[in-house]
Amino acid sequence: MSSRGGLLARSAQGATFLILLQIGSRALTFIVNQILLRYLSPELLGISTQLELYSISVLYFARESIRVALQRQSSDSGKRDGDTSEDSTAADKDGKIVVESYAPGRRAQEAVNLSYIAISLGPPLAYFFATLYIRKAETKVLATPYIQESLGLYGLAALLELLIEPCFVVAQQQMLYGVRASAEASATFVRCFLTCGVAVWASRSRREVGVLPFAIGQLSYAVLLNISYYGRIWRRASIGGFSLFPRSLESGSSHYILSRFSRSALTLALNLYAQSGLKHLLTQGDSVLVALFTSLSSQGVYALASNYGSLLARILFQPIEESSRGVFGRLLSASQAPPSPSPGKSRNAQKKEKKTPRQENVIGAQTYLITLLHLYALLSAFIVTIGPTLAPILLRYVAGKHWSSTPAGEVLSLYCYYIPLLAINGILEAFVSAVATPAQLRVQSAWMFAFSAGFAASGYVALRVYDLGAAGLVLANGVNMAMRILWSGAFVGNFLKWEGVERGLDVRRCSPTAETMATGAMVIIYLRSLKRKFDGDFKDLAKTGAVALVFGVALLLFERDFLTECYYMIRPQAQPQPQYDSSAGDSSSHPTYEAKGEGGGECEGTMESEEKQSRKDI
């Protein structure tokens, strides 16, 4: 298997680990939330969402740019002058570079040293955001029992979670997905157990503890993460020849700042920092706006709807986005790029007849991206068709009648149209963050700032002028996400064309078939007419489920060719072996597959497209 195929195989395995982790942790969290909803008011749920935003903000601004910068470091770049550490690459029989599943001690030490920058940023960020929260919080929030203690526990949990960064960056660099999965799974279990246990105890003993159960659960999560990560990575550090503490690398070398911090990685992290901040503002902007312009009750309704609505995004899309960013970074690292062509000429005009490894990597990245976008489009077609009708029905059963009487059902229905935008934007921005140069990142930051201003304005109009509540916020989010998709899509298309890839980012190759879209439109019309006859009992769920089953079968039938290719990507050993036509001259360039045609005869299909060949390699 080629190095590209091996890398994508390991990435697919890692994505599987992360998806299974998300399924397990979200399923457990879902069960616990159903219990907590019986004991929590919308107001308390709204406050817990604010504290979660506080914790996420501290962690994001402290570590995100460092993590992305380290992911973009080429795993197969050449050694620096004077680097005598163990190589992380090996040559296969064709002389191609094969990326190993481990990193050399020097590169691991570079990552560990940089991770301490994130740790050092934690205390001032925690203090700043805590002070800001206390000053801006409503009087009703500050009157909540144990709110000060809960905020302090959330801050302490964030600082403890930052302490795992040396272990996390090593696990990420060496693609130790099993370590991450086991650590986060055990920590999530303990968090859910303690959160639920304290809430139930307080309710039965008639104690008012506010959001203290969430704070205790968050602290336990951070403690278990430290125990799990350091327990697994400490031994690997001693074997691999690096330390989990900062260590000097090269005295007087221009490659390092203070002999410890990689100059190139630190420069990239600084360029990413402003862009990461704007991205965080856009990602969490809905939570900020709903906290500023709506009541605590509306905040609780929006929190419930968005938590359920984004469940699929967190379970499936987020792990794929994380692993894909690593794939794009390794395949398309700037350090692997050939010298820039002369002005006015694309690489397509200068490329040789025989593809270089760089061109093969670009084609592989394009195929990987288009395949994911096509899969997302199919899943989105199902969600948009069935979700708006099915979501309010399910909400009555999972959250109870107390919540079904709120606008949460309508907001959840509207959120189904927002989920596809989340998925598409996530994978496109993963590509951009992996390949963009510092100058391009600054341009993206400027556009992000413009999107932030537009989102804030549209959110203000929706919440304050038209008083649309949570539904208006979902609409504002959708417009903002659509703008980000347009920018990222244009960037990706221009990048692929510059690299000489034909058709670039072809939307037609990412779209469902015409039969799928026509069937989906008819199902939407039918469900809307059926919804008028709903009376709120179990029959509504059964009818909608039957329609969903029929549409799902139709989707599989209409998309069977594409899904078959995806199956062969995952299980290449199941792919039919090519039958070579000796009369075609150079048989090595014209593999054919036997297929039955009309009348029982056999037809031959030549595998000439780069997309299919790249999928075969994967």
Side-chain angles (χ1 to χ4, degrees), residues 553-567:
V553 172
L555 189 149
L556 294 176
L557 178 64
F558 295 141
E559 303 288 341
R560 61 186 181 277
D561 292 340
F562 169 72
L563 294 175
T564 300
E565 290 183 5
C566 293
Y567 174 75

Side-chain angles (χ1 to χ4, degrees), residues 398-443:
V398 299
K401 295 181 179 180
H402 172 68
W403 285 93
S404 61
S405 60
T406 67
E410 299 176 4
V411 177
L412 192 57
S413 293
L414 190 60
Y415 210 95
C416 292
Y417 297 101
Y418 178 58
I419 293 175
L421 300 178
L422 276 175
I424 296 172
N425 179 73
I427 193 64
L428 288 178
E429 288 195 348
F431 190 102
V432 174
S433 65
V435 305
T437 64
Q440 291 168 336
L441 288 174
R442 287 191 290 271
V443 172

Side-chain angles (χ1 to χ4, degrees), residues 44 144-146 202-203 205-212:
L44 285 180
T144 304
Y146 297 103
S203 176
S205 59
R206 300 182 182 278
R207 295 176 181 269
E208 293 291 337
V209 295
V211 292
L212 191 60

Side-chain angles (χ1 to χ4, degrees), residues 484-537:
R484 291 168 65 178
I485 288 173
L486 289 175
W487 190 93
S488 298
F491 178 93
V492 174
N494 291 334
F495 176 87
L496 292 174
K497 289 180 180 178
W498 174 256
E499 291 286 350
V501 178
E502 297 179 0
R503 293 186 291 181
L505 187 62
D506 192 343
V507 176
R508 292 173 298 180
R509 297 165 64 190
C510 308
S511 304
T513 62
E515 294 86 351
T516 299
M517 291 188 285
T519 304
M522 290 187 291
V523 170
I524 290 174
I525 295 173
Y526 176 74
L527 284 177
R528 287 184 176 178
S529 63
L530 187 65
K531 190 175 181 180
R532 299 190 185 98
K533 303 176 183 179
F534 285 173
D535 51 16
D537 58 13

Side-chain angles (χ1 to χ4, degrees), residues 8 11 320 323-324 327-328 364-372 618:
L8 293 174
S11 175
I320 293 177
S323 60
S324 298
V327 170
F328 295 140
Q366 180 207 32
T367 301
Y368 182 81
L369 176 63
I370 287 178
T371 301
L372 282 180
I618 297 173

